[in-house]
C-alpha cells in the first residue's frame, strides 16, 4: 500500500473541509490559500467566509480496513495528517462537521491521526472537555490521536506550548514550519495553575525520565512526557523567507539533549550556500560552490540573516542537514 501524500511525516492527508483564516506570521504565504483560493477559486479565505466540506470521507475508512497490509510491510500504523488545507479547531467551522470528524476518528482505531492546529486555545472547548461525559471519553487523549501545534517563532512558542502541555493527548508534537527565527524550548513562564492538566514552571521537550528536568506532573503523581516529537522546516513557494542553519541546529541540539525525535522536513525555497565572492551590493550573480549545474536564473544569491542563500526551489534545496537526513518519529 503506497502513501497518498508527499509530506515526509505522514502517509495520508485527509481534509474534511477546506478553508481557513490567516492568524499567524506563518500564514503569510499560505500554500493552501494560494492554491484553493487564489488559483482554483474553490473557497474564499478569511473570517466570515464559509468553509467547504469535502466528499472524500471514505478514504480513512478504507485505510483503516487495510491496516494489516500496511503494518506487515512497514511494521507500524499509518499516519494521517488531518486538515492540511484547514484547521480542525477553526471556530468558523460548523460544530456538526467537527463532531462528524471525531466520530470518524473514533471509528478508525487502526490509524494514527495527526491533528495540527494554530488554535490550541480552542481545543479543550471543542473537545467538550468541560463536559463530564466527554472528559471521561477523551481521558488522557484518544490513543490514535497525536495533537500538534504550529509554531514559527519564539513568541508563538511561549504562548502556545504551555497550552499544549495542559491539554491531554496520547502524543504531543510541534511543527516548526516555516521556521522564522531561533526558538528556545525552555521558558521562564508559568503554566496556568487553574487547569486540571499538567503543571510546572517552565517548559521544554523530553521524556519524564528524571534526568532531563523535563517532567510534567499532575495530581495523583500521574506523569506526562511533555513534547514527544519536533518537526522543523523552511518555507517554500513565492515570497518564501530563508531559514538560517543555526536556527535548525539549535533546535536539533535541544531535541537530542532531551531525547526527543527530530524530523527535518525541508530547507524550502532557499539553501544556505557559500560563494566564491564576499562582495555584496544588493543581490548579485555568483558562481555557487558545491551546487553542481544550475540554471542561469538560479545563480543569483541573496544575503539574509548575515549569510548567503541560493533560491534553488524546494526540490533542489532538499532536506539534508549537517550531511544527513533527520527522520525522527515517536515510537
Amino acid at each position: 500500500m503506497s502513501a497518498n501524500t508527499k509530506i515526509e511525516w505522514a502517509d495520508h492527508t485527509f481534509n474534511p473541509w477546506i478553508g481557513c483564516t490567516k492568524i499567524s506570521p506563518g500564514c503569510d504565504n499560505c500554500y493552501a490559500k494560494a492554491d484553493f483560493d487564489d488559483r482554483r477559486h474553490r473557497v474564499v479565505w478569511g473570517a466570515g467566509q464559509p468553509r467547504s466540506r469535502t466528499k472524500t470521507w471514505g478514504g480513512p475508512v478504507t485505510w483503516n480496513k487495510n491496516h494489516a497490509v500496511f503494518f506487515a510491510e512497514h511494521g507500524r500504523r499509518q499516519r494521517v495528517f488531518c486538515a492540511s488545507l484547514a484547521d480542525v479547531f477553526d471556530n468558523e467551522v460548523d460544530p456538526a462537521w467537527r463532531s462528524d470528524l471525531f466520530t470518524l476518528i473514533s471509528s478508525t482505531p487502526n490509524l494514527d491521526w495527526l491533528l495540527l492546529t494554530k488554535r490550541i486555545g480552542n481545543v479543550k472547548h471543542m473537545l467538550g472537555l468541560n463536559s463530564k461525559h466527554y472528559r471521561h471519553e477523551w481521558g488522557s487523549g484518544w490513543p490514535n490521536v497525536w495533537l500538534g501545534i504550529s509554531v514559527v517563532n519564539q513568541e508563538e512558542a511561549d504562548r502556545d506550548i504551555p497550552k499544549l502541555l495542559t491539554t491531554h493527548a496520547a502524543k504531543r508534537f510541534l511543527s516548526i514550519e516555516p521556521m522564522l527565527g531561533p526558538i528556545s524550548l525552555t521558558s521562564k513562564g508559568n503554566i496556568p495553575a487553574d487547569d486540571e492538566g499538567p503543571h510546572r514552571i517552565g517548559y521544554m521537550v523530553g521524556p519524564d525520565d528524571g534526568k532531563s528536568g523535563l517532567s510534567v506532573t499532575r495530581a495523583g503523581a500521574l506523569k506526562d512526557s511533555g513534547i514527544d516529537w519536533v518537526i522543523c522546516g523552511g518555507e517554500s513557494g513565492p515570497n518564501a523567507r530563508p531559514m538560517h542553519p543555526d536556527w535548525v541546529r539549535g533546535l536539533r541540539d535541544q531535541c537530542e539533549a532531551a531525547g526527543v525525535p527530530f524530523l527535518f522536513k525541508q530547507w524550502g525555497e532557499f539553501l544556505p550556500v557559500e560563494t566564491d565572492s564576499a562582495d555584496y551590493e544588493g543581490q548579485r550573480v555568483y558562481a555557487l560552490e558545491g551546487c553542481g549545474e544550475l540554471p542561469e536564473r538560479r545563480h543569483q544569491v541573496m544575503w539574509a540573516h548575515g549569510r548567503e542563500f541560493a533560491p534553488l526551489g524546494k526540490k533542489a534545496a532538499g532536506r539534508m542537514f549537517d550531511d544527513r537526513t533527520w527522520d525522527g518519529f515517536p515510537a
Side-chain angles (χ1 to χ4, degrees):
M1 172 182 279
S2 61
N4 70 348
T5 179
K6 295 181 179 179
I7 296 175
E8 290 78 1
W9 46 269
D11 301 299
H12 308 284
T13 54
F14 168 66
N15 283 284
W17 51 82
I18 299 172
C20 202
T21 299
K22 294 183 177 184
I23 61 169
S24 159
C27 301
D28 289 352
N29 302 314
C30 177
Y31 66 90
K33 179 184 184 305
D35 191 7
F36 284 84
D37 186 347
D38 300 343
R39 187 170 71 87
R40 300 191 195 184
H41 305 290
R42 178 170 172 179
V43 295
V44 177
W45 241 247
Q49 300 295 338
R51 309 321 188 201
S52 175
R53 181 160 170 152
T54 64
K55 300 179 180 179
T56 58
W57 287 59
V61 176
T62 300
W63 307 330
N64 183 73
K65 221 177 267 187
N66 297 331
H67 72 96
V69 176
F70 186 93
F71 194 91
E73 182 177 351
H74 300 280
R76 62 171 177 82
R77 294 148 59 88
Q78 298 164 85
R79 292 184 286 262
V80 179
F81 174 24
C82 184
S84 62
L85 305 174
D87 192 321
V88 170
F89 301 101
D90 178 1
N91 54 14
E92 299 202 41
V93 169
D94 186 337
W97 295 4
R98 196 161 26 245
S99 178
D100 290 345
L101 173 62
F102 293 158
T103 298
L104 176 64
I105 291 173
S106 66
S107 67
T108 52
N110 299 311
L111 304 176
D112 283 328
W113 287 81
L114 280 58
L115 306 187
L116 178 62
T117 182
K118 289 181 171 67
R119 297 165 170 83
I120 186 63
N122 288 347
V123 172
K124 291 180 184 179
H125 169 71
M126 291 180 178
L127 287 176
L129 294 186
N130 293 325
S131 160
K132 182 178 179 180
H133 169 72
Y134 282 104
R135 181 177 291 280
H136 174 74
E137 180 182 339
W138 184 253
S140 294
W142 289 351
N144 66 329
V145 175
W146 302 9
L147 182 61
I149 58 173
S150 179
V151 171
V152 301
N153 56 30
Q154 191 66 54
E155 179 182 1
E156 290 190 348
D158 291 341
R159 182 191 68 202
D160 290 343
I161 292 178
K163 296 176 184 176
L164 176 63
L165 290 178
T166 58
T167 305
H168 302 289
K171 292 189 185 298
R172 305 183 187 91
F173 68 98
L174 307 179
S175 174
I176 302 178
E177 182 188 5
M179 192 177 196
L180 300 181
I183 294 178
S184 169
L185 295 178
T186 304
S187 172
K188 296 180 180 179
N190 291 322
I191 292 179
D194 58 352
D195 188 273
E196 293 185 15
H199 304 294
R200 65 191 162 108
I201 296 177
Y203 62 77
M204 200 173 174
V205 293
D208 183 19
D209 55 10
K211 300 176 182 178
S212 59
L214 310 178
S215 63
V216 181
T217 304
R218 279 203 299 268
L222 296 176
K223 295 179 183 291
D224 277 317
S225 60
I227 303 301
D228 299 287
W229 187 28
V230 174
I231 302 166
C232 173
E235 192 169 35
S236 58
N239 305 313
R241 292 156 283 188
M243 176 176 62
H244 199 290
D246 286 349
W247 304 346
V248 181
R249 191 167 292 113
L251 190 64
R252 187 273 318 272
D253 291 350
Q254 291 176 76
C255 290
E256 287 199 314
V260 171
F262 174 78
L263 187 146
F264 183 63
K265 180 174 178 288
Q266 64 181 40
W267 280 109
E269 192 72 19
F270 293 94
L271 180 70
V273 295
E274 294 182 358
T275 70
D276 61 358
S277 174
D279 179 21
Y280 294 98
E281 295 178 2
Q283 291 187 359
R284 293 179 54 187
V285 175
Y286 298 92
L288 302 182
E289 296 178 354
C291 291
E293 296 286 333
L294 296 175
E296 183 64 31
R297 66 184 178 84
R298 291 188 171 177
H299 282 196
Q300 192 171 25
V301 173
M302 74 175 295
W303 180 256
H305 308 307
R307 65 159 302 138
E308 307 134 314
F309 293 87
L312 306 185
K314 175 183 174 180
K315 184 176 180 180
R319 53 189 303 263
M320 294 284 290
F321 177 68
D322 280 351
D323 300 320
R324 55 163 284 193
T325 56
W326 299 81
D327 290 316
F329 287 95

